Amino acid sequence: MGDHKEQPLRVGAAVRRRRRALELTLAVVAERSGLSVPFLSQVENDRARPSRSSLEKVADALRTTAVELLAAADPACSVDVVRAEDIVPGAGPQARSLVRGHHQMHASEFTGDHEAGREIQYRNDQLMYVADGAVEIEAEGRAYRLGRGDTLYLTGGVRHRWRATVPDTRVVVVAVAEHVEAVQDRRGRRR
């Protein structure tokens, strides 16, 4: 009762908004992603539903994540419950958004191994919390080992990568959404 009913995700508008915000043409996104212009047009018009792999390629081309695009696809709700049983079990690593809609805060849960070689950089601040297992995070030339219950805070713009060091690791990442500009106070500090 009171739960947001899951409907088929329509990511087209989120993809189009992100592409236009970056002032990119479909041709540029197609070149960056390796996907065709007609396919991308169908995705933006919700006439084609991209696979997880295709959505990740589009997200990389748009300098964001598939989770962010999926989060931006759902209508915003003032109160929303995301149930643990909503996770579709599958083999390998999984990512799920913990906050649906287009909000100032974004939260995702990553379960299992993570693509350790992929360097990540968010424009805004983020907090990583290890719910289970352990991870190694490389940021600003240093390695940090975190275990269950540990957190790591990264200010916007810090390039980093991470990997699970224990099977079935769960990491929760909470971040200021990409569409929100971080504000600096008079002393140049972010707030």
Side-chain angles (χ1 to χ4, degrees):
M1 182 164 89
D3 290 357
H4 176 79
K5 296 297 178 201
E6 198 63 41
Q7 298 176 6
L9 293 177
R10 298 175 63 149
V11 298
V15 170
R16 183 182 304 110
R17 276 192 307 271
R18 179 68 178 172
R19 178 179 62 80
R20 287 180 177 169
L22 294 172
E23 298 178 357
L24 299 174
T25 64
L26 279 173
V28 170
V29 176
E31 183 180 326
R32 287 181 180 179
S33 66
L35 302 169
S36 71
V37 171
F39 175 70
L40 291 171
S41 177
Q42 289 178 343
V43 168
E44 283 194 1
N45 291 302
D46 287 318
R47 285 180 284 167
R49 193 170 177 184
S51 67
R52 179 177 172 170
S53 173
S54 293
L55 187 60
E56 287 173 358
K57 289 176 183 179
V58 170
D60 285 344
L62 296 174
R63 295 186 216 121
T64 189
T65 64
V67 173
E68 282 282 341
L69 289 175
L70 290 171
D74 276 341
C77 298
S78 58
V79 175
D80 190 20
V81 175
V82 178
R83 299 278 182 198
E85 62 265 14
D86 292 343
I87 298 173
V88 178
Q94 293 188 1
R96 75 176 178 123
S97 181
L98 301 176
V99 178
R100 288 186 275 239
H102 201 59
H103 300 286
Q104 293 184 10
M105 182 196 76
H106 180 71
S108 301
E109 179 184 62
F110 297 89
T111 304
D113 204 3
H114 182 72
E115 190 178 332
R118 182 174 182 219
E119 190 172 63
I120 306 164
Q121 179 183 30
Y122 293 103
R123 179 174 55 192
N124 293 331
D125 299 354
Q126 72 174 19
L127 176 85
M128 297 178 77
Y129 170 75
V130 181
D132 261 325
V135 297
E136 184 175 272
I137 302 168
E138 185 182 315
E140 296 188 326
R142 292 186 59 196
Y144 302 88
R145 286 177 172 53
L146 291 110
R148 183 176 184 205
D150 292 341
T151 62
L152 179 82
Y153 179 83
L154 299 161
T155 58
V158 172
R159 290 184 183 277
H160 64 284
R161 66 186 68 178
W162 64 276
R163 68 181 184 89
T165 57
V166 173
D168 299 323
T169 291
R170 287 186 321 130
V171 176
V172 175
V173 177
V174 180
V176 176
E178 288 290 311
H179 68 279
V180 176
E181 288 293 332
V183 179
Q184 294 187 346
D185 67 15
R186 287 177 283 173
R187 296 180 202 127
R189 291 183 300 200
R190 293 174 156 244
R191 45 177 186 138

